[in-house]
Amino acid sequence: MTIRNLQLPSEIIAKLGVPQIEDIVEKLPINPQNSWARLAGVRNVNDLTTIALHHDAYPKANTTKYTDFQLASNMAIDHINNTKYDATGEGGIPYHIWIRNGRIYQTNDILDRTYGVSGQNGYTVHICVSGEYYKTDVLTDADSKALCAAILMVKSVLPNFQAIKAHKELNPTDCPGYDYKKIIADVLTIENQLEYAKSEEHAKAVAFQIANQILYLANLLNSADTSDGNRIWSREMLLQLQPFMKERGLL
Ligand SMILES: [Zn+2]
């Protein structure tokens, strides 16, 4: 089993004005000796309960010369060359989702165990926004919306989801630097609004269905081609509405 090619539902794209997620897992450099799966293993989706929020701590002033893909590749290579945890290096970029310039990239299989938060990688999905938000950078509106969309997307594929946590809540660090409590509050607001829109839409669809059926019956009753049986049937069906409509002052 893999969880690849996450695709945002159209209502999230419409609501937040974010572009569709791009899966670049296969395009990024991976450690030829050790993929994340080989180095650290693959998790069961039922064990993934927590979304961990990160920044990548690369100050934007130092990275403007790179395209998104170049920067993600550079980060992957930095991690592959890091032999702190294993003599063969890390698997590649440690985040499952990485965001930059308002765009959302899937950078690992959600099930792969990567090194996002030391000692806490058996149950976490790592979502990262590029930049250094503790000292230098400010989260843009586009990145903040992309982050909310990514959180909602990941949440929807985790059957046992429990919480969104900042990296710093799991381990002492400055990551993610940005106001993660506001992001979590925004996600809740968006979820509620989407739920409401869904119920509104459903109610409207049912109302139109009723109106269409009544029109159909009226047309059947009126049509010159209709057999007598059909004419009687449609008339009876419509007449059954009479007590209800009278009671509500509609007749
Ligand atoms: Zn972090």
Side-chain angles (χ1 to χ4, degrees):
M1 189 187 171
T2 61
I3 302 183
R4 287 277 311 276
N5 292 302
L6 291 185
Q7 293 285 288
L8 292 169
S10 54
E11 65 261 28
I12 292 183
I13 291 179
K15 168 116 190 104
L16 296 173
V18 293
Q20 187 54 272
I21 301 173
E22 292 169 63
D23 185 311
I24 56 168
V25 173
E26 257 134 44
K27 295 180 190 154
L28 287 172
I30 52 158
N31 191 332
Q33 302 180 71
N34 249 339
S35 65
W36 281 119
R38 236 181 308 156
L39 175 69
V42 176
R43 294 97 47 98
N44 184 306
V45 70
N46 293 315
D47 295 334
L48 304 179
T49 59
T50 303
I51 292 171
L53 302 181
H54 301 266
H55 65 187
D56 60 27
Y58 286 56
K60 287 187 182 187
N62 303 348
T63 61
T64 42
K65 55 184 177 286
Y66 300 120
T67 64
D68 295 349
F69 183 69
Q70 281 168 340
L71 182 58
S73 299
N74 291 350
M75 283 172 43
I77 291 165
D78 284 352
H79 282 274
I80 291 165
N81 292 333
N82 176 23
T83 52
K84 198 169 125 191
Y85 309 109
D86 192 279
T88 58
E90 294 179 59
I93 194 167
Y95 311 109
H96 298 97
I97 304 281
W98 182 72
I99 291 161
R100 189 176 185 237
N101 293 322
R103 301 177 71 162
I104 310 164
Y105 300 95
Q106 182 169 359
T107 48
N108 275 299
D109 186 329
I110 301 297
L111 298 179
D112 279 0
R113 187 167 171 272
T114 66
Y115 293 168
V117 178
S118 176
Q120 316 282 329
N121 295 307
Y123 64 96
T124 42
V125 177
H126 302 295
I127 302 181
C128 175
V129 182
S130 191
E132 199 292 316
Y133 299 95
Y134 183 63
K135 288 190 194 122
T136 52
D137 298 323
V138 175
L139 196 66
T140 65
D141 191 45
D143 282 343
S144 155
K145 285 188 169 130
L147 179 54
C148 289
I151 291 170
L152 288 166
M153 181 72 239
V154 171
K155 224 182 131 176
S156 75
V157 298
L158 304 183
N160 295 323
F161 169 82
Q162 282 173 11
I164 307 164
K165 295 271 184 197
H167 182 174
K168 66 167 88 166
E169 291 182 288
L170 300 169
N171 256 343
T173 164
D174 296 333
C175 181
Y178 54 75
D179 185 355
Y180 66 91
K181 287 185 181 158
K182 181 177 184 305
I183 293 291
I184 294 172
D186 286 352
V187 166
L188 260 177
T189 306
I190 296 161
E191 260 177 340
N192 287 338
Q193 288 169 347
L194 287 173
E195 269 309 304
Y196 179 73
K198 240 188 253 166
S199 58
E200 276 275 277
E201 224 164 87
H202 176 71
K204 211 164 134 187
V206 173
F208 272 118
Q209 245 174 6
I210 294 168
N212 273 335
Q213 276 305 100
I214 290 176
L215 257 181
Y216 166 74
L217 292 170
N219 285 334
L220 207 59
L221 183 63
N222 247 341
S223 164
D225 310 329
T226 307
S227 71
D228 282 349
N230 272 340
R231 206 170 289 134
I232 293 165
W233 175 76
S234 57
R235 192 186 64 202
E236 288 311 307
M237 284 292 135
L238 285 166
L239 285 175
Q240 282 182 28
L241 297 171
Q242 192 198 22
F244 172 85
M245 291 182 78
K246 246 191 155 158
E247 193 188 300
R248 279 163 182 74
L250 290 168
L251 281 178

